[in-house]
Amino acid sequence: MRPDDATGTPTGGPGTRPGDASGAGPGDAPGAGSGGPRVTLADLPVRDDLRGRTPYGAPQIDVPVRLNTNENPYGPSASLVAGLAEAVRHGAADLNRYPDRDAVALREDLAAYLGHGLTADRVWAANGSNEVLQQILQAFGGPGRSALGFEPSYSMHPIITTGASTEWIPGAREDDFGIDPGKAVAAIEEHRPDVVFLTSPNNPTGTALDPAVIARIVEAAPGMVVVDEAYFEFARTGTPSALTLLPDNPRLIVTRTMSKAFAMAGTRLGYLAAHPAVIEALLLVRLPYHLSTLTQAAARVALAHRAELLGTVDTLRAERDATVEWLRGHGLKVADSDANFVLFGVFDDRRAVWEGLLERGVLIREVGPPGWLRVSIGTAEEMAAFRAALEGILR
Ligand SMILES: *Cc1c(COP(=O)(O)O)cnc(C)c1O
């Protein structure tokens, strides 16, 4: 069982949403209440390799202070909302037609945002970087193939990997949550994975990787290397992106998202940069018209307003650094963070701390190695509420 499983959370099943009065989780079959025999997942002819698995389950609980899924706490301004509404109104007039299947205008905008001399043929987009990662596994993983990642890291990497009938090979990070290049190369030579996942800055630890380490891993890897840079915009000044390594490495893929720094998690827009041949491979597995007209339009408006959206990043970075200091000042162990969250501990009973915070209206995430907890960086008011709640528990 993975450490970030939502088991034992006060909601119903992992799919339960706030306000879902039925409390029905995915285990409750439709019709279960209509008097028929109760059917469970175990009764269905589901794939053998999915039996016994647990879905992704960050709890969605309606509480005053939500600091559990690394969202940007700042909502769009009124003028951005107006821009989005106008783009949707414009796009709505054409909704009888399929969207641009290759999302060319959006990919041009994304390439311009990324810089590094990138062009639309080197950029790909999908519904969140999770879908981008799934397409990568569909194209480069599959039955008889494997993917290796260095844990603790993003829980979706193994879930997407096994969902694509690909074997997951857990590699290890060091005590400081960095990756030892010598050990990483040894693990790659031992397992010969078809895909290697590197997350930088890493979730849930916040650790950024030195591009020299990434370069050594790319050199050793027999297959594709994916650098998940979901949190790149939050990295401390001077931290280079793996995009700098792209020109020499056709087997390198760098993924990004508009869900975190861009404050657009609800839009569902993730993207990647890679060699044009990689994008040709992804075209073989993507569903036609996967990115709706409205998603493409909203993402382009967000990119046009990037000064406003990314304007919150410096505030969040300062709040993050202050949170690290405060937690250390209270005798806690804290991982250095280049992201918009902080991993801290070590608690004998982290569940009790997590529940104590929840009772005080603050939702954080029970994730990472045993004893650690992760708090996303919110507004100054939200972080004050977090500190007050935690102080009440530590006392
Ligand atoms: C949040 C996160 C993502 C983003 O997923 P989206 O599908 O783009 O919302 C990707 N990778 C990591 C490591 C994350 O933490």
Side-chain angles (χ1 to χ4, degrees):
M1 190 157 291
R2 307 199 57 74
D4 52 341
D5 281 343
T7 44
T9 54
T11 55
T16 307
R17 308 238 356 163
D20 180 356
S22 75
D28 296 307
S34 60
R38 193 184 135 82
V39 176
T40 71
L41 178 55
D43 299 315
L44 297 176
V46 70
R47 264 165 43 192
D48 291 334
D49 61 345
L50 295 181
R51 286 192 187 279
R53 298 218 171 253
T54 317
Y56 174 85
Q60 290 194 301
I61 307 174
D62 213 356
V63 293
V65 181
R66 281 200 323 217
L67 303 173
N68 72 326
T69 49
N70 301 340
E71 293 149 324
N72 189 318
Y74 298 102
S77 68
S79 88
L80 176 48
V81 169
L84 289 164
E86 173 56 24
V88 168
R89 198 193 62 76
H90 190 78
D94 280 327
L95 282 182
N96 57 316
R97 301 292 179 191
Y98 281 113
D100 174 5
R101 199 169 51 215
D102 296 332
V104 175
L106 171 60
R107 287 161 61 202
E108 281 168 358
D109 290 354
L110 289 166
Y113 164 64
L114 287 176
H116 294 270
L118 289 163
T119 43
D121 61 333
R122 291 170 187 268
V123 171
W124 181 244
N127 296 282
S129 51
N130 283 325
E131 188 180 52
V132 168
L133 295 171
Q134 184 178 51
Q135 292 173 344
I136 293 168
L137 263 296
Q138 287 175 325
F140 297 103
R145 292 189 167 213
S146 65
L148 183 152
F150 298 89
E151 299 185 337
S153 192
Y154 185 42
S155 64
M156 280 308 298
H157 292 161
I159 292 175
I160 290 169
T161 296
T162 52
S165 297
T166 307
E167 185 196 352
W168 175 254
I169 301 169
R173 283 175 175 259
E174 301 303 297
D175 286 346
D176 66 357
F177 303 125
I179 293 178
D180 178 295
K183 290 186 199 169
V185 168
I188 287 164
E189 284 172 353
E190 181 190 345
H191 297 288
R192 313 286 300 160
D194 299 283
V195 177
V196 174
F197 282 103
L198 300 172
T199 315
S200 179
N202 187 41
N203 177 8
T205 65
T207 323
L209 288 175
D210 182 345
V213 173
I214 298 173
R216 272 193 69 187
I217 289 170
V218 173
E219 204 178 305
M224 304 301 294
V225 176
V226 179
V227 184
D228 184 335
E229 289 193 346
Y231 301 97
F232 179 75
E233 288 90 347
F234 294 108
R236 282 170 287 188
T237 315
T239 309
S241 165
L243 291 173
T244 55
L245 303 171
L246 270 184
D248 306 322
N249 291 300
R251 288 182 293 99
L252 176 63
I253 302 174
V254 181
T255 64
R256 296 276 187 101
T257 180
M258 297 185 79
S259 296
K260 308 290 164 52
F262 262 98
M264 281 277 135
T267 305
R268 308 306 300 131
L269 200 289
Y271 55 105
L272 63 75
H275 191 278
V278 172
I279 285 138
E280 281 179 49
L282 301 178
L283 288 171
L284 302 175
V285 297
R286 66 89 182 269
L287 297 175
Y289 317 109
H290 66 296
L291 213 45
S292 88
T293 300
L294 303 182
T295 302
Q296 294 184 39
R300 294 192 68 204
V301 172
L303 281 162
H305 285 74
R306 62 174 168 262
E308 169 193 330
L309 288 167
L310 297 175
T312 63
V313 166
D314 284 344
T315 307
L316 291 166
R317 288 200 290 194
E319 197 68 53
R320 167 197 67 204
D321 294 342
T323 303
V324 169
E325 287 303 303
W326 186 90
L327 290 165
R328 285 184 180 151
H330 282 69
L332 293 164
K333 225 168 135 176
V334 187
D336 285 330
S337 178
D338 275 289
N340 66 334
F341 53 81
V342 174
L343 190 72
F344 65 100
V346 178
F347 301 105
D348 292 337
D349 186 354
R350 73 170 172 186
R351 168 55 57 94
V353 177
W354 183 85
E355 281 174 352
L357 289 167
L358 190 57
E359 279 162 20
R360 292 162 173 82
V362 180
L363 176 63
I364 67 165
R365 190 86 187 273
E366 194 181 7
V367 67
W372 293 80
L373 291 167
R374 189 193 72 193
V375 61
S376 308
I377 302 302
T379 62
E381 295 73 28
E382 288 170 327
M383 297 320 288
F386 162 73
R387 290 192 300 268
L390 187 58
E391 236 164 8
I393 293 164
L394 294 177
R395 222 177 270 133

